[in-house]
């Protein structure tokens, strides 16, 4: 979704110039949005979750910034698929061997996100990633057992292959600041109680990936009752980092071995990455029709 040029302003992020909505949260507050003002937005279900997560000022490749990045109103979906571990290993960097999955089957995922209200304004994104063992895991379980346990505990560890977004600020912050493989494209994500759908365009304006499915029945959770975490491993400036994302789930539902999914792989980076993992079967479809999140800046991490 693009914004008319006359409704944008230019801002500097570590020497990169990007446009953001004029009068939007980033234009006015530069990552330090007053919670009481956000609470007045009818799209925001509350701000209690964020009052327990104070922001701090840090230096980063995108200049001084406040962290975490707060997502006050969002929705998301995740397709969890079994895939041959041999295909997954081919996509993991050599340096990630300590996180490498065991022979047999591993887990790949397609994730969709819609951020209606956040510190860097509205945007959407999609991701293809692979589940990895928690770093420095010394247990004897297989990687698949680790992932199944993590799904139950709502604490996943992942390496992301693709992460397209639809705004410049999300791309620069995600790529330069976090080390994620982000690029800008036309990307629509719509999630409600009835249906979950997405369309990601390729560089020629055609279809990279399309998805549509009936949204699983949703259950309401009190704020703070169901908080999931996702740790992602990325490389930035030649060094490895881990990034923590905490999600306050407010309405969610899932389906094991779901049917009726309409997934179309077209021509583009996202579909190519998903194909390369050779997914065998979708084992779970999870949707959060209402959630909030805190995305922390990455911290250095040794994978050796």
């Amino acid at each position: 979704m693009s914004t008319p040029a006359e409704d944008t302003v230019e801002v500097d992020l570590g020497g990169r110039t990007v446009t953001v909505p004029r009068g939007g949260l980033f234009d006015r507050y530069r990552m330090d949005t007053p919670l009481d003002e956000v609470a007045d937005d009818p799209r925001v279900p509350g701000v209690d979750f964020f009052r327990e997560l104070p922001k701090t000022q840090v230096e980063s490749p995108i200049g001084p910034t406040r962290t975490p990045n707060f997502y006050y109103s969002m929705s998301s979906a995740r397709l969890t698929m079994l895939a041959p571990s041999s295909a997954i290993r081919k996509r993991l960097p050599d340096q990630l061997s300590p996180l490498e999955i065991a022979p047999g089957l591993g887990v790949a995922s397609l994730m969709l996100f819609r951020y209606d209200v956040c510190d860097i304004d509205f945007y959407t994104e999609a991701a293809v990633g692979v589940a990895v063992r928690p770093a420095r895991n010394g247990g004897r379980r297989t990687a698949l057992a680790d992932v199944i346990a993590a799904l139950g505990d709502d604490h996943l560890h992942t390496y992301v292959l693709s992460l397209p977004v639809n705004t410049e600020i999300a791309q620069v912050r995600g790529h330069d600041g976090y080390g994620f493989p982000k690029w800008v494209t036309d990307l629509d994500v719509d999630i409600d109680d009835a249906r979950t759908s997405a369309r990601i365009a390729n560089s020629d304006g055609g279809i990279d990936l399309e998805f549509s499915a009936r949204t699983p029945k949703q259950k309401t959770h009190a704020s703070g009752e169901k908080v999931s975490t996702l740790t992602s491993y990325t490389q930035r400036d030649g060094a490895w980092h881990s990034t923590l994302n905490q999600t306050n789930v407010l309405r969610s539902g899932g389906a094991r071995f779901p049917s009726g999914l309409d997934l179309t792989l077209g021509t583009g980076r996202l579909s190519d990455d998903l194909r390369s993992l050779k997914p065998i079967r979708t084992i779970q479809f999870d949707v959060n029709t209402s959630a909030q999140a805190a995305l922390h800046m990455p911290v250095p991490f040794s994978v050796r």
Side-chain angles (χ1 to χ4, degrees), residues 290-302:
S290 178
Q292 301 174 316
L295 178 65
H296 299 257
M297 288 297 292
V299 295
F301 174 80
S302 173

Side-chain angles (χ1 to χ4, degrees), residues 93-104:
D94 292 339
Q95 301 95 322
L96 281 184
S97 58
L99 308 181
E100 185 176 296
I101 65 171

Side-chain angles (χ1 to χ4, degrees), residues 104-273:
L105 292 175
V107 171
S109 61
L110 170 65
M111 294 166 282
L112 307 168
F113 303 91
R114 179 186 174 97
Y115 306 113
D116 286 296
V117 184
C118 77
D119 285 327
I120 61 172
D121 301 300
F122 169 82
Y123 73 99
T124 56
E125 67 182 352
V128 168
V130 295
V132 296
R133 285 178 175 173
R136 300 192 182 95
N137 182 346
R140 296 180 177 273
R141 294 183 305 187
T142 66
L144 186 57
D146 281 331
V147 172
I148 291 174
L151 284 170
D153 295 339
D154 281 328
H155 189 173
L156 292 174
H157 295 250
T158 188
Y159 178 72
V160 177
L161 303 179
S162 297
L163 198 60
V165 295
N166 73 333
T167 66
E168 288 183 307
I169 187 172
Q171 190 275 329
V172 172
R173 284 182 57 87
H175 182 272
D176 296 6
Y178 293 81
F180 286 118
K182 288 197 175 189
W183 69 93
V184 178
T185 191
D186 286 336
L187 198 162
D188 296 313
V189 175
D190 290 297
I191 298 173
D192 59 31
D193 284 350
R195 198 125 197 111
T196 296
S197 63
R199 182 188 185 278
I200 297 93
N202 59 27
S203 58
D204 297 323
I207 295 173
D208 187 339
L209 182 147
E210 280 189 321
F211 175 79
S212 181
R214 182 166 50 87
T215 299
K217 184 178 179 180
Q218 299 288 290
K219 178 181 178 181
T220 299
H221 309 278
S223 180
E225 175 187 345
K226 184 178 174 63
V227 178
S228 64
T229 59
L230 176 69
T231 299
S232 302
Y233 300 98
T234 58
Q235 199 170 25
R236 194 187 72 194
D237 300 327
W240 284 98
H241 292 72
S242 63
T243 298
L244 176 66
N245 190 339
Q246 299 167 282
T247 301
N248 181 33
V249 179
L250 301 173
R251 280 181 56 79
S252 67
R256 289 285 178 91
F257 303 106
S259 60
L261 306 179
D262 186 4
L263 175 62
T264 301
L265 301 185
T267 303
R269 294 170 61 180
L270 195 70
S271 286
D272 287 348
D273 280 333

Side-chain angles (χ1 to χ4, degrees), residues 35 38-39 41 43-51 53 69-76 114-115 117-118 221-224 226-228 245-251 288-295:
L35 291 180
V38 175
D41 190 320
R43 296 170 295 175
V44 175
V47 295
D48 289 347
F49 174 68
F50 304 102
R51 296 193 189 279
L53 294 168
N69 183 10
F70 286 164
Y71 297 83
Y72 306 101
S73 178
M74 61 168 285
S75 52
S76 65
R114 179 186 174 97
Y115 306 113
V117 184
C118 77
H221 309 278
S223 180
K226 184 178 174 63
V227 178
S228 64
N245 190 339
Q246 299 167 282
T247 301
N248 181 33
V249 179
L250 301 173
R251 280 181 56 79
N288 302 322
T289 56
S290 178
Q292 301 174 316
L295 178 65

Side-chain angles (χ1 to χ4, degrees), residues 13-73:
L13 294 179
R16 297 277 301 275
T17 300
V18 301
T19 58
V20 299
R22 184 185 303 276
L25 293 185
F26 191 84
D27 179 29
R28 286 182 288 162
Y29 301 117
R30 296 298 197 274
M31 302 291 297
D32 201 16
T33 311
L35 291 180
D36 288 341
E37 177 166 334
V38 175
D40 291 335
D41 190 320
R43 296 170 295 175
V44 175
V47 295
D48 289 347
F49 174 68
F50 304 102
R51 296 193 189 279
E52 301 176 1
L53 294 168
K55 286 180 178 265
T56 58
Q57 183 87 359
V58 298
E59 294 296 326
S60 77
I62 52 174
T65 188
R66 304 279 288 176
T67 184
N69 183 10
F70 286 164
Y71 297 83
Y72 306 101
S73 178

